[in-house]
Amino acid sequence: MSVEQVDEEELRERISRFMMRNFPQIQMHGGSAAIQDLDVEARSVTIALGGACSGCGISPMTVQALKTRMVQEIPEIDTVHAETGLGSDAPFGYDPDDVPF
């Protein structure tokens, strides 16, 4: 599928469903996740992990699994970035109404 044919809203919905299906433990353990940035042309997405994910000792493993599995299951995405708020001066910068998981 070419970049021109990718519908951004449909891709956001697919990413949201992927997160809910593959990572329900994020919300079950008091965390949150949202699409912070989606660049269809660059084929990349940034997921902001918040709540209990910030400071969670298992979050590095969750991030690695997220990066590995998303590019395998969603062919329009080649690069996954995940922000946990750790070591970052910038706030997450996502709107809670933006595709919550």
Side-chain angles (χ1 to χ4, degrees):
M1 182 177 284
S2 72
V3 172
E4 295 82 29
Q5 295 174 337
V6 174
D7 179 271
E8 184 173 339
E9 289 306 312
E10 188 269 337
L11 184 56
R12 282 180 180 274
E13 180 61 31
R14 288 180 42 224
I15 293 169
S16 176
R17 287 192 311 265
F18 165 85
M19 291 295 296
M20 288 185 286
R21 183 178 66 251
N22 290 287
F23 295 95
Q25 69 274 21
I26 292 173
Q27 190 171 26
M28 290 177 1
H29 295 159
S32 62
I35 298 171
Q36 182 175 2
D37 182 59
L38 175 60
D39 187 332
V40 175
E41 289 184 30
R43 301 175 60 93
S44 71
V45 64
T46 301
I47 304 294
L49 300 172
C53 292
S54 296
C56 175
I58 297 175
S59 65
M61 289 183 281
T62 301
V63 167
Q64 186 58 45
L66 182 121
K67 289 179 175 185
T68 301
R69 292 165 65 182
M70 189 178 297
V71 297
Q72 291 173 344
E73 288 192 36
I74 302 177
E76 295 86 358
I77 299 294
D78 291 332
T79 306
V80 178
H81 304 282
E83 298 289 331
T84 61
L86 298 176
S88 173
D89 295 331
F92 287 121
Y94 65 91
D95 183 334
D97 294 327
D98 180 31
V99 193
F101 303 106

